[in-house]
């Protein structure tokens, strides 16, 4: 049975509040927000900060509740 996580957490990397299942940092195995997890993954394949911002913006557009 799937449960919905409602607890709000603060990401230790960016300081933003987030809800839901955390990503796990590749650097030190700590829980981080999904945006920081996405950035860590994109950094490993050489994606620039500007392109990361665009990708995360598109993700937000397609995952935000109406």
């Amino acid at each position: 049975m799937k449960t919905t996580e409602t607890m709000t957490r603060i990401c230790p990397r960016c300081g933003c509040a987030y809800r839901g299942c955390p990503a796990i940092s590749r650097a030190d195995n700590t829980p981080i927000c999904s945006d920081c997890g996405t950035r860590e993954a994109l950094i490993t394949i050489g994606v620039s900060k500007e392109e990361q911002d665009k990708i995360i913006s598109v993700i937000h557009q397609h995952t935000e509740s109406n």
Side-chain angles (χ1 to χ4, degrees):
M1 179 186 214
K2 188 174 182 178
T3 60
T4 302
E5 182 67 47
T6 58
M7 188 168 94
T8 300
R9 297 183 175 112
I10 303 298
C11 177
R13 182 164 309 257
C14 68
C16 292
Y18 69 96
R19 290 178 179 249
C21 186
I24 302 299
S25 173
R26 294 165 183 254
D28 58 11
N29 291 326
T30 58
I32 56 176
C33 71
S34 61
D35 287 353
C36 286
T38 300
R39 286 187 189 281
E40 282 190 4
L42 293 171
I43 287 168
T44 64
I45 59 171
V47 176
S48 70
K49 168 90 168 79
E50 294 78 22
E51 191 67 20
Q52 291 173 34
D53 292 341
K54 290 177 189 177
I55 292 168
I56 290 174
S57 175
V58 170
I59 292 170
H60 285 208
Q61 289 173 8
H62 293 280
T63 58
E64 291 179 353
S65 299
N66 291 332

